[in-house]
Amino acid sequence: MSSSRSKLPEARGVSVIGIFNPETLYEVPPFQRGYAWQDEQVEKLLDDLEKSYVARPAEPYLLGQTILYEDESSNRLGIVDGQQRLTTLFLFIAISVAKLDKRKDRKRNLETKFSTYKLALLHHEDGAENAIHRLHVSGLGRNFIDLIIPIEDETQNEFVVGDDTAEESGGDFVKIKFPTAENPSEENIETAYGIINSFLDKNYPETQELFEFLSYVCSRAYVLELRLGSMSQAIRTFAIMNHRGRELDDADLIKNLLFEKIKDPTRFNEISVNWDDAQNELFRSRLKRVKSMDFLLGAMIGVATGESISSNDVFDEWIKFLGSEDKALDFAKQLPTKAKYIKNISLGKTLTGEEAKEVFGSYTMKYVQHFEVLLAGEKLNASSYKTLASIVDARVILSQFSGEKNQDFERLVHKWAHQINNLRGNVSKAEIVAASHDVLAKQDVVAAIKRMEDQLDLLDYGTASHRVKIRYFLARCARVVQDKHLHRQIADFEDLMTTGTKGKPGFDIDHIYPKSDARIAQFKLKELPGQPTKLQVLNSIGNLTLLHPGDNRSQGDSLPNDAGKKENFAGSQLFINALLTDPDEWGVNIKNNVNLLSGLKQLQGPNPLLNKEWDADSIRKRKYFYFKLFVEDLLSDFGLEDLDYFSN
């Protein structure tokens, strides 16, 4: 291809078959994102094409624009804008050709045109033994494209599209069995393949119908092609157009900005590899929200600035930070490591991948806004980091149980992360607490605790979405009793959060007073308008506890004071249940241990709740007992033991 650096850009309308013509090859350059279209975008393109075909089959249909540049090193046109659409059209032609290639009822007079459609997919270099793909998609997706359009030996004098060793999908087409996707591009290509295949099966099952629709797309659908003479010119044009319309997300714009800052084109591949490595790390995250580069870049800018930046301003803020080539290169080098940290945080681990039980609560609640603070702790040593993780987790739990609005908590997170980022090495808990003063101000913590006490009354076992919170609350209280008050670890937190099944440890959530219709009728509570019903009271936190399945499931519909039920509570693996009963009913494992017996009696107080009839007042007292344990444990994690909330 000849250079056209001194020429004005060439703009023209090109049909789909004109795009994939025998003389032209394309590639998605390394600075572009991977194949990102998901089901919504693929389905919309197919739907738009079909509507246009049905309504106006003779009229041209505009698909959009492409921005290309001539890459003399690869003898291909680089795609700066339009790769998602062109890749999807490439897949559409490949799948259509594969379907038609398997059928025997094609009309002979159409074979020449059919061969043209095959040539849209593969190119034969003079003297080369094998064909090559006319479009080289993003490197992250090429393995899956190779499965869809295998390269066949030219000496066979045929082009085979599809995988003859894969599973039959029924009829005349072989459906590809993809391996497990290892990155977003592969996942999205597999999704697009399935959507296009199903669309054609449903709407164009007959050979002639499919051929005519394929012919319409190839000949009547077109793009406005803008061809520039150099990569830098194409990138600048693309950036200008997208800054105006902001059609791309921030991650795409920031990636393009990196390449704009680099003066040495030989460094482009280095940046591309770093970006792809970061995306692959994020793809292995546990939660969908953190799989995107946007999440990582938002967290990084929050740590760097300490400010709450609106989504519309994130890109502009990064422009300030990436002001030079050196800064851009340094930023790109950091991305894979930062992405790995985010992935590990999402998996409930430390930044370096070790188990982090300190974050079990936020991990269980699937909360993500605090990831930024944990990311900011990368300069702490292992011990200090775990201290930070414990404080962060406790603050997340307080936020969740107090009903704090997500946006209010998020406003605090950025400054908190920025302050933590200034800490280094082996710092004390007091230093971490001092750097967390904005989120641990005593007056704010007290206000949140007061809200939490009211919010606990709204938790209802009958509401499925409340059950994870309820179980976590009960589990944490059980652990506080055993670990901190009695120094007797009985069960792992994971077991307490799991319902027991055959052969596996776990605990049931048990109603102290049963909630069957017959028992509800016996429960002494006058139901008043605007007040909780009997069922709501029995489903509230104060009437619930964790109990081993062997004890719980043997009780049936027993009342709290039934001998069998009291015996199960008294002998429970979780000593918090023994506190419901009289010390005389406790087992020998408690009675024969002076320290354990003394500790339990001190926790219980003078009046075991099952010494009298179990009623609404008993449920309120039990809820307050739980609440006190829970709050004292949070304050301990915050380093605010001197905050005597319950003396007020």
Side-chain angles (χ1 to χ4, degrees), residues 16 20 88-98 117 120-121 214 218:
V16 170
F20 300 116
T88 306
L89 290 169
F90 196 61
L91 291 172
F92 169 81
I93 296 172
I95 296 167
S96 299
V97 166
Y117 299 151
L121 304 171
L214 174 61
C218 287

Side-chain angles (χ1 to χ4, degrees), residues 122-339:
L122 298 172
H123 173 73
H124 293 269
E125 294 279 2
D126 292 338
E129 183 176 338
N130 295 324
I132 57 176
H133 290 150
R134 193 164 300 285
L135 168 63
H136 279 174
V137 302
S138 166
L140 291 176
R142 288 184 188 173
N143 289 337
F144 275 31
I145 293 293
D146 287 344
L147 292 174
I148 297 171
I149 314 173
I151 302 299
E152 296 295 331
D153 189 337
E154 186 181 2
T155 60
Q156 297 179 7
N157 197 30
E158 64 176 6
F159 306 119
V160 178
V161 182
D163 181 3
D164 285 320
T165 64
E167 295 179 343
E168 292 286 347
S169 63
D172 52 23
F173 181 60
V174 179
K175 186 177 180 182
I176 295 169
K177 186 176 182 180
F178 292 95
T180 301
E182 295 184 353
N183 57 66
S185 290
E186 290 182 348
E187 184 177 60
N188 292 331
I189 287 172
E190 182 178 358
T191 297
Y193 176 88
I195 290 171
I196 295 169
N197 186 35
S198 298
F199 171 85
L200 295 176
D201 281 346
K202 177 182 177 182
N203 297 289
Y204 301 98
E206 300 298 328
T207 298
Q208 190 60 27
E209 291 178 343
L210 174 56
F211 196 94
E212 289 174 359
F213 182 58
L214 174 61
S215 296
Y216 167 79
V217 173
C218 287
S219 62
R220 304 310 294 165
Y222 74 102
V223 300
L224 290 177
E225 179 188 281
L226 182 62
R227 189 176 298 193
L228 296 116
S230 69
M231 178 190 293
S232 59
Q233 187 182 4
I235 291 174
R236 283 194 297 273
T237 302
F238 177 66
I240 290 169
M241 295 176 73
N242 279 285
H243 285 202
R244 288 172 182 162
R246 295 303 295 267
E247 294 177 1
L248 296 184
D249 57 30
D250 286 311
D252 296 318
L253 293 173
I254 292 166
K255 185 178 182 183
N256 289 326
L257 177 64
L258 287 176
F259 285 92
E260 285 185 69
K261 295 294 181 184
I262 305 304
K263 298 179 177 63
D264 181 2
T266 63
R267 309 299 296 271
F268 283 5
N269 187 62
E270 178 184 346
I271 293 176
S272 181
V273 168
N274 285 327
W275 191 278
D276 289 348
D277 287 348
Q279 280 192 313
N280 289 341
E281 287 288 353
L282 292 174
F283 186 71
R284 293 190 284 272
S285 297
R286 168 177 170 248
L287 302 171
K288 184 176 181 179
R289 181 179 170 186
V290 305
K291 290 177 182 282
S292 73
M293 289 294 288
D294 279 323
F295 183 89
L296 172 63
L297 296 170
M300 289 174 66
I301 199 68
V303 172
T305 65
E307 297 176 3
S308 183
I309 301 168
S310 72
S311 57
N312 292 330
D313 296 330
V314 169
F315 174 70
D316 295 327
E317 198 65 35
W318 273 116
I319 290 178
K320 301 175 188 176
F321 274 82
L322 302 177
S324 67
E325 183 176 21
D326 288 342
K327 288 183 178 179
L329 285 170
D330 182 62
F331 169 78
K333 290 176 182 177
Q334 294 180 45
L335 288 175
T337 300
K338 302 282 189 182

Side-chain angles (χ1 to χ4, degrees), residues 459-464 466-467 470-471 474 507-517 519-520 523 533-549 551-562 564-566 568-569 577 580 610 614-615 618-619 622 626:
L459 292 178
D460 187 335
Y461 181 79
T463 302
H466 291 186
R467 290 176 188 169
I470 289 171
R471 179 177 283 276
L474 296 173
F507 293 83
D508 292 346
I509 296 179
D510 179 51
H511 286 73
I512 298 173
Y513 188 101
K515 65 178 181 65
S516 67
D517 291 343
R519 293 306 192 189
I520 289 175
F523 187 67
T533 65
K534 289 182 179 181
L535 180 58
Q536 288 173 329
V537 170
L538 296 180
N539 275 333
S540 68
I541 200 82
N543 191 49
L544 302 171
T545 191
L546 294 177
L547 201 60
H548 189 276
D551 297 326
N552 177 42
R553 297 171 193 177
S554 67
Q555 294 174 357
D557 211 22
S558 302
L559 291 169
N561 277 298
D562 288 353
K565 191 156 192 171
K566 290 176 71 173
N568 285 340
F569 285 148
N577 291 323
L580 291 164
L610 291 186
W614 187 263
D615 55 15
S618 304
I619 292 172
R622 183 66 170 180
Y626 284 146

Side-chain angles (χ1 to χ4, degrees), residues 274-408:
N274 285 327
W275 191 278
D276 289 348
D277 287 348
Q279 280 192 313
N280 289 341
E281 287 288 353
L282 292 174
F283 186 71
R284 293 190 284 272
S285 297
R286 168 177 170 248
L287 302 171
K288 184 176 181 179
R289 181 179 170 186
V290 305
K291 290 177 182 282
S292 73
M293 289 294 288
D294 279 323
F295 183 89
L296 172 63
L297 296 170
M300 289 174 66
I301 199 68
V303 172
T305 65
E307 297 176 3
S308 183
I309 301 168
S310 72
S311 57
N312 292 330
D313 296 330
V314 169
F315 174 70
D316 295 327
E317 198 65 35
W318 273 116
I319 290 178
K320 301 175 188 176
F321 274 82
L322 302 177
S324 67
E325 183 176 21
D326 288 342
K327 288 183 178 179
L329 285 170
D330 182 62
F331 169 78
K333 290 176 182 177
Q334 294 180 45
L335 288 175
T337 300
K338 302 282 189 182
K340 183 177 181 179
Y341 289 165
I342 290 290
K343 177 201 70 177
N344 286 338
I345 293 169
S346 79
L347 297 173
K349 298 179 179 180
T350 66
L351 300 184
T352 52
E354 290 81 30
E355 183 181 13
K357 292 184 177 181
E358 295 80 7
V359 297
F360 190 78
S362 51
Y363 175 85
T364 300
M365 301 294 172
K366 299 182 179 179
Y367 208 63
V368 301
Q369 287 170 299
H370 64 292
F371 282 19
E372 191 174 306
V373 186
L374 295 175
L375 179 66
E378 64 176 303
K379 301 179 185 72
L380 300 177
N381 68 9
S383 175
S384 296
Y385 183 84
K386 290 197 171 187
T387 301
L388 170 67
S390 180
I391 293 172
V392 171
D393 190 72
R395 185 60 181 83
V396 170
I397 293 303
L398 179 61
S399 179
Q400 286 283 293
F401 278 87
S402 67
E404 184 177 24
K405 293 180 180 179
N406 286 346
Q407 57 266 36
D408 291 341

